Amino acid sequence: MQLYVVGLNHTTAPVAIREQVSFPAERLHHALHDLTQHELVEEAVIVSTCNRTEVYCATAHDTRDLLLAWLGQYHHITPEKLSNYLYIHEHTDAIRHLLRVACGLDSLILGEPQILGQIKAAYQQARDVNTTGRLLSKLFEHSFSVAKQVRTDTAIGSSPVSVAFAAVRLAQQIFGDLQQNTALLIGAGETIELAARHLHEKGLGRMIVANRTLDRARTLAKEFSGYAITLEEIPNHLAEADVIISSTASPTPILSCNTVKQAIKARKHRPIFIVDIAVPRDVEAEVSRLEDVYLYTVDDLNEVIQENLRTREQAARQAEEIIDTQVTHFMGWLNSLSAIETICDIRERAQDKRVELVTKAKKMLENGKSPQDVIDYLAHTLTNTLIHTPCTQLRQAGYNGREDLVLAAQQLFQLNQHK
């Protein structure tokens, strides 16, 4: 059985090409069925995200050309156009590739954890339509286990490398558990949405979303059970906020030093953590001089992010060592499959002979033979029966000068040839 992965990602193809070969979730089942209609393709899993499309297959033959042709035909793109952007990995390289992807080592953001959930979802969809079998099931389950080991044994996921995540992580460092805290998010763009998602995942107690357009604020707030206000209403709610994250396109500051000072007074000097991600800044620079205010700008966060990237790069090297070991382990299991059928045949033949001889032994007991004689007969006959064929073959091997078979037998039966 051969393993193949054919795909493209953010490093090999521009977004215009990635869009053309992506598989919408509602079409994935159809695509899996269509692919496995080919008699050479025995198992298949398709991973499709905004940054990658990959087709994993288990086949009995070389199917590289078939997979390339299928991917092009399915998306109505000529193979010649696609080939410039595709990579093809087989067998050991395919195993290594999946493990690296699952661990976040092949991601746009090194070590990001979202890809593991996306791979698990892709695998589950393939299972739902029965396009996975023994090989891909084992491989994908193994990749999940390796990703967990890498997360546990390295710092690959412990350091934030996005502005939104870094902001939330700093808030956690200041307040600890966020369940009793309120966050005010100013703006409703992508960064604020991502910050809202991270805060929600960390169990934030309450969220207020302020935006120039109230409808947009309501849409975002509703998703996270928050409360929407306009920018003009901020002074009325500022004292409620323990965490403030601001990212707007305003040409002038949204939060003045005087407004923040009044909020601190109303809070009886309970600290406020403010992250100003906007350029130009949403928070007046003088706010940083106020007591009980922790103000970070985008430059401050970038320093944190760069340091964390260096930490992740070091962790990535440790992760690669873990993956090397785990590829070897999986290859050992894969190579053992060729021996399993033989092992089953040996066990089945031995079991048949055992049943036959036990039946004869029982009849001997019924006919009055002593238990000792029956036990001796059973042990002697079963032993001779099981070793007769191997001994005959070894004698013939010796006669034919097949020293390799003799040495193999010594290894199989753990015989000490110097005894």
Side-chain angles (χ1 to χ4, degrees):
M1 188 74 78
Q2 297 290 312
L3 276 170
Y4 290 97
V5 55
V6 175
L8 49 78
N9 62 20
H10 59 280
T11 63
T12 68
V15 65
I17 296 296
R18 299 202 305 273
E19 288 174 341
Q20 292 182 58
V21 296
S22 67
F23 291 87
E26 64 273 12
R27 294 284 295 168
L28 201 53
H29 287 181
H30 176 271
L32 287 165
H33 275 305
D34 188 73
L35 177 56
T36 52
Q37 289 302 304
H38 293 274
E39 60 181 15
L40 296 181
V41 178
E42 299 186 22
E43 304 178 37
V45 174
I46 297 174
V47 175
S48 187
T49 73
C50 59
N51 284 327
R52 74 179 62 247
T53 292
E54 295 178 339
V55 180
Y56 292 83
C57 287
T59 71
H61 304 280
D62 186 337
T63 55
R64 285 171 293 185
D65 292 341
L66 183 154
L67 293 174
L68 175 58
W70 177 83
L71 194 59
Q73 290 169 4
Y74 195 87
H75 292 289
H76 309 292
I77 305 173
T78 63
E80 292 75 20
K81 181 179 179 180
L82 266 185
S83 61
N84 294 328
Y85 305 103
L86 289 175
Y87 44 80
I88 301 177
H89 302 301
E90 56 182 298
H91 220 50
T92 304
D93 290 338
I95 297 166
R96 184 183 306 280
H97 179 76
L98 177 59
L99 298 191
R100 296 189 76 255
V101 172
C103 293
L105 300 184
D106 195 56
S107 295
L108 182 61
I109 299 176
L110 181 65
E112 59 91 6
Q114 286 81 9
I115 186 62
L116 180 58
Q118 292 166 333
I119 293 175
K120 287 183 176 180
Y123 170 58
Q124 185 58 52
Q125 287 185 296
R127 289 190 64 188
D128 290 343
V129 292
N130 297 316
T131 61
T132 59
R134 184 178 195 177
L135 189 50
L136 286 187
S137 292
K138 180 73 172 180
L139 176 59
F140 275 79
E141 294 288 351
H142 188 64
S143 75
F144 305 152
S145 175
V146 173
K148 181 179 180 181
Q149 181 184 355
V150 167
R151 293 274 160 188
T152 301
D153 294 352
T154 75
I156 192 73
S158 63
S159 305
V161 291
S162 72
V163 170
F165 194 15
V168 173
R169 181 60 62 87
L170 283 171
Q172 277 188 298
Q173 291 176 5
I174 292 172
F175 293 104
D177 187 353
L178 297 176
Q179 292 184 8
Q180 304 302 318
N181 296 112
T182 296
L184 169 62
L185 305 182
I186 304 175
E190 183 178 342
T191 300
I192 289 296
E193 183 176 352
L194 189 56
R197 195 170 306 282
H198 288 314
L199 286 166
H200 182 72
E201 290 172 354
K202 299 302 181 184
L204 178 73
R206 181 167 172 260
M207 185 183 299
I208 303 171
V209 180
N211 193 50
R212 194 173 304 281
T213 305
L214 187 58
D215 286 344
R216 179 70 185 104
R218 283 174 176 161
T219 300
L220 182 58
K222 183 179 179 181
E223 184 177 353
F224 301 104
S225 303
Y227 178 67
I229 61 174
T230 63
L231 296 183
E232 291 73 23
E233 295 177 275
I234 287 176
N236 299 330
H237 296 272
L238 197 60
E240 303 170 33
D242 305 295
V243 176
I244 300 171
I245 301 177
S246 187
S247 179
T248 75
S250 174
T252 58
I254 302 293
L255 294 181
S256 68
C257 184
N258 187 54
T259 301
V260 177
K261 184 185 298 184
Q262 292 177 5
I264 284 290
K265 183 178 180 180
R267 288 172 59 84
K268 297 181 180 178
H269 294 277
R270 285 184 293 117
I272 297 179
F273 170 69
I274 304 176
V275 178
D276 184 3
I277 303 174
V279 178
R281 286 178 287 183
D282 282 340
V283 182
E284 286 185 347
E286 292 78 7
V287 170
S288 63
R289 302 194 189 105
L290 297 177
E291 292 187 12
D292 304 308
V293 174
Y294 299 86
L295 174 61
Y296 289 81
T297 67
V298 67
D299 288 343
D300 297 325
L301 290 185
N302 279 332
E303 290 179 13
V304 173
I305 290 167
Q306 291 304 314
E307 179 60 34
N308 290 344
L309 274 174
R310 287 189 286 272
T311 299
R312 286 200 176 193
E313 287 166 359
Q314 181 180 359
R317 290 190 288 272
Q318 297 172 329
E320 295 283 9
E321 294 176 2
I322 293 173
I323 288 172
D324 286 342
T325 300
Q326 293 299 334
V327 168
T328 301
H329 287 171
F330 189 84
M331 283 302 302
W333 173 82
L334 191 57
N335 292 335
S336 73
L337 293 181
S338 61
I340 288 177
E341 186 174 348
T342 300
I343 292 170
C344 289
D345 288 345
I346 291 172
R347 288 185 175 276
E348 185 177 352
R349 181 177 297 182
Q351 179 71 1
D352 290 344
K353 185 55 63 176
R354 184 190 70 82
V355 171
E356 176 187 334
L357 292 177
V358 167
T359 300
K360 287 183 179 180
K362 288 179 179 178
K363 288 182 179 179
M364 291 170 65
L365 289 171
E366 291 171 359
N367 293 333
K369 284 283 188 180
S370 71
Q372 185 62 51
D373 288 342
V374 173
I375 291 173
D376 289 342
Y377 163 79
L378 184 60
H380 177 76
T381 307
L382 186 59
T383 301
N384 283 344
T385 300
L386 294 178
I387 69 173
H388 172 73
T389 300
C391 289
T392 301
Q393 294 296 319
L394 280 171
R395 275 196 296 270
Q396 187 64 41
Y399 179 83
N400 293 333
R402 292 292 306 275
E403 185 67 18
D404 57 323
L405 288 180
V406 176
L407 293 174
Q410 290 173 351
Q411 184 176 359
L412 282 171
F413 293 102
Q414 295 185 331
L415 302 176
N416 186 351
Q417 57 187 326
H418 302 298
K419 195 171 180 178

